[in-house]
Amino acid sequence: MVNFVYLEELYLFVESIRSFQVRDVGSSKWLEVHEMIIKLSQQAALEVAEQREEEVKEFLVSRDKLSVLINEAYCVSLWKSRVLPHLLEIDPNPQATFLIYTVLYHEAAVVALLDLCLYHPSGCESLQDSVLDLIDYCAQGVAQVIGLVSMGYHENETKVDVDEAVLTELERQKRDLIYKIGLRCVSLLSYLADNVSLFHMGAARRMLVTHDIPWLMVDVLCFRPWQRNTSKGLEKFIDEKWSAVEDAAKIIKPEAQAWFCVRQLLLSPQIVDNYPLNEARCKQISKLLGMLHETLLDQLPVLIELKQYISRLTLSGNTGKKAQNLILEDMPQIQDNLIKEVERDGGFYQVAQNQDGVFLNNNREEICALATKLSSAYGTELLCELEQHMADLELKKNETKSDDSPAADETEEKVHKCGTCQEPAKKKCANCKLVHYCSRECQLKDWPQHKDTCMGKAV
């Protein structure tokens, strides 16, 4: 069985993960933890893909490491936005940028781990006070994606020019990772909205008042960052890469999660009371009405209630101001603590000067040694082996389906039973295609039980 981290190593890897300060980024100890996080992220993704027991998730949650991962995401985000520009001022054309890219990729690996862990309510429950920091981080990540899409970034087919300046290529890599992280942040916000009852009241208030996540998600659904038109036709962002699609109406994970997030925030009784619907918000939310067409509702029938709600809202208009209760609000701590520590170190420019010898190193032998070490950490050979293994499994699955299918002259229409009432059913769930239903009403009734299986397949 292919593994990136074996069970006997797992405890050591998880226990070794710890929080770093911005000044530590790129240090030898930081790189050691980076290697472990990369392997844990790969192992967690493998466990989900092969439908194994999610050991990585269980260890991270039980050892209370999710807040540490949030700290790491913020640490790299600050380094990327406040330290890296100073480094590029010192040397606008660094000879080797792979260590810079390693730091940028670290953030993406951390967010991928959070995505896999927070899919489960037990992961959300373990966040405790750090949920406020995560909400801030995700809101910023989604806003950055919207900004890139509004500039037409996702419509530009990426073509790497061998003569391209190093700085331009580094900027392209940075934006690609911002894009991937931002789409994962859509899923993270959906998980938080779905489990908001597990958090204190400040979490819901931060989502609705501080960041106005419903408004943000409407923008996401309008801009549709998960799809683009190219010279080869329509492409969608599936499994971390752009893929050509034949069925333009097929819903993919980020789009479904954006819809679920809006639905949960607008229809949950304990949340909506904190979200007064003024005229501007009513106008923004009403933009969704035209998108809630029959094809979408067939795939995500749970959105029927959302369509009904928005229709009533459009007719009734502004519902007026609601009385706001006095709330003693908790404040996020992780980013503020990281910035205070940087200020003690002399500021971001001083940190950049201190890291000059690490990221702008011109010693060829040291650069090659570090590159070799990081290459082994990423396990590229094992990734190739895993990719072939998954392809073989898919091929066997298709062959089994082909062998089980009756001959053309013997085929008869098979009678399926409804997953809710057990009556004969001809329609099936458009997303997972595993369960049949006799009517949309039965499909809607079964959604609370069917949701995990259906969306688990999409994940």
Side-chain angles (χ1 to χ4, degrees):
M1 182 182 293
V2 179
N3 279 297
F4 293 96
V5 183
Y6 290 94
L7 190 58
E8 53 269 23
E9 302 175 302
L10 196 52
Y11 179 81
L12 174 63
F13 274 44
V14 172
E15 282 296 314
S16 299
I17 296 176
R18 63 183 182 86
S19 300
F20 286 94
Q21 299 298 327
V22 177
R23 63 172 176 268
D24 300 320
V25 173
S27 66
S28 58
K29 290 184 178 180
W30 184 91
L31 285 170
E32 288 176 6
V33 173
H34 167 73
E35 291 179 32
M36 295 179 184
I37 286 178
I38 292 298
K39 289 182 179 179
L40 287 172
S41 178
Q42 292 168 339
Q43 181 66 22
L46 176 62
E47 290 172 351
V48 171
E50 295 191 343
Q51 298 181 349
R52 299 191 207 167
E53 187 73 24
E54 295 184 43
E55 300 285 356
V56 174
K57 183 267 296 183
E58 291 296 336
F59 269 87
L60 288 170
V61 171
S62 64
R63 306 309 299 172
D64 197 23
K65 293 294 183 178
L66 297 193
S67 60
V68 176
L69 293 178
I70 296 171
N71 181 94
E72 283 299 282
Y74 261 118
C75 183
V76 175
S77 180
L78 283 172
W79 183 91
K80 174 177 65 181
S81 60
R82 309 285 290 276
V83 176
L84 180 57
H86 291 309
L87 285 170
L88 296 176
E89 285 176 6
I90 297 171
D91 185 356
N93 192 23
Q95 288 190 9
T97 59
F98 70 88
L99 184 55
I100 296 176
Y101 180 78
T102 296
V103 176
L104 300 179
Y105 185 71
H106 183 82
E107 183 183 6
V110 166
V111 174
L113 269 177
L114 287 170
D115 188 1
L116 292 169
C117 291
L118 297 179
Y119 175 75
H120 304 274
S122 59
C124 292
E125 193 171 12
S126 71
L127 289 174
Q128 299 179 4
D129 290 341
S130 63
V131 66
L132 300 178
D133 298 274
L134 183 59
I135 291 170
D136 287 3
Y137 177 85
C138 291
Q140 178 183 329
V142 174
Q144 287 179 329
V145 167
I146 293 173
L148 288 175
V149 175
S150 65
M151 294 187 296
Y153 175 76
H154 73 314
E155 295 291 353
N156 298 324
E157 297 178 62
T158 303
K159 297 177 181 178
V160 180
D161 186 349
V162 293
D163 297 324
E164 191 175 26
V166 172
L167 182 57
T168 307
E169 170 62 11
L170 187 62
E171 183 65 22
R172 183 191 66 79
Q173 292 173 337
K174 185 171 78 169
R175 290 189 179 188
D176 283 348
L177 288 172
I178 288 174
Y179 208 83
K180 292 178 180 180
I181 290 169
L183 289 180
R184 284 197 180 272
C185 285
V186 172
S187 296
L188 290 175
L189 286 172
S190 177
Y191 303 150
L192 296 180
D194 200 34
N195 295 284
V196 74
S197 60
L198 300 176
F199 311 127
H200 51 73
M201 291 181 62
R205 182 174 177 81
R206 200 149 193 90
M207 295 184 78
L208 296 172
V209 179
T210 307
H211 297 293
D212 203 341
I213 299 300
W215 185 295
L216 194 63
M217 286 298 165
V218 173
D219 282 341
V220 169
L221 289 164
C222 289
F223 279 107
R224 302 177 66 81
W226 42 79
Q227 74 175 42
R228 67 180 184 181
N229 293 308
T230 69
S231 57
K232 299 178 183 178
L234 181 68
E235 292 184 347
K236 291 197 174 187
F237 199 75
I238 303 172
D239 295 333
E240 297 281 293
K241 61 181 181 294
W242 291 104
S243 305
V245 293
E246 296 179 358
D247 185 3
K250 174 70 175 178
I251 303 298
I252 62 173
K253 179 187 173 184
E255 184 175 5
Q257 296 294 1
W259 279 113
F260 291 152
C261 185
V262 172
R263 179 191 178 278
Q264 184 64 21
L265 291 176
L266 293 182
L267 299 186
S268 176
Q270 69 259 36
I271 298 177
V272 75
D273 287 340
N274 295 314
Y275 192 65
L277 290 165
N278 54 35
E279 185 177 349
R281 283 173 172 169
C282 290
K283 186 177 180 180
Q284 176 75 350
I285 293 170
S286 66
K287 293 178 183 177
L288 297 177
L289 199 55
M291 304 181 205
L292 289 162
H293 45 73
E294 290 297 315
T295 306
L296 175 65
L297 297 179
D298 283 341
Q299 296 178 72
L300 302 175
V302 72
L303 297 182
I304 293 174
E305 293 176 77
L306 178 63
K307 184 175 183 179
Q308 294 169 347
Y309 171 82
I310 298 175
S311 298
R312 291 194 299 269
L313 184 67
T314 305
L315 292 174
S316 61
N318 187 355
T319 57
K321 293 184 178 181
K322 296 182 180 180
Q324 295 293 304
N325 297 324
L326 179 63
I327 297 176
L328 295 177
E329 187 174 359
D330 291 330
M331 298 301 294
Q333 300 292 324
I334 292 176
Q335 181 172 232
D336 288 345
N337 291 340
L338 286 167
I339 292 175
K340 287 176 182 176
E341 195 64 30
V342 170
E343 290 171 351
R344 294 190 190 100
D345 294 333
F348 288 100
Y349 184 71
Q350 183 61 48
V351 171
Q353 287 186 316
N354 295 341
Q355 294 180 345
D356 181 356
V358 177
F359 291 99
L360 305 178
N361 188 358
N362 293 325
N363 187 308
R364 186 173 294 276
E365 291 182 0
E366 292 180 5
I367 291 173
C368 290
L370 184 57
T372 303
K373 182 181 179 182
L374 290 174
S375 177
S376 63
Y378 290 148
T380 50
E381 293 182 2
L382 191 57
L383 280 170
C384 292
E385 182 183 344
L386 173 61
E387 187 175 346
Q388 184 60 47
H389 175 64
M390 297 302 290
D392 291 343
L393 286 177
E394 188 66 24
L395 183 62
K396 288 180 181 178
K397 183 179 177 181
N398 293 336
E399 287 176 352
T400 303
K401 286 183 178 179
S402 177
D403 293 341
D404 291 344
S405 61
D409 55 347
E410 297 176 359
T411 55
E412 294 181 3
E413 186 177 0
K414 186 176 179 180
V415 178
H416 297 276
K417 290 186 177 181
C418 175
T420 302
C421 65
Q422 302 303 312
E423 292 295 320
K426 294 183 179 181
K427 296 180 179 180
K428 60 183 175 182
C429 176
N431 185 52
C432 68
K433 298 182 173 27
L434 296 176
V435 183
H436 288 73
Y437 297 100
C438 63
S439 65
R440 183 175 289 173
E441 288 73 20
C442 279
Q443 187 177 14
L444 193 58
K445 286 180 183 178
D446 191 45
W447 177 251
Q449 292 74 36
H450 179 57
K451 176 182 176 182
D452 288 341
T453 304
C454 187
M455 294 313 301
K457 186 174 184 294
V459 172

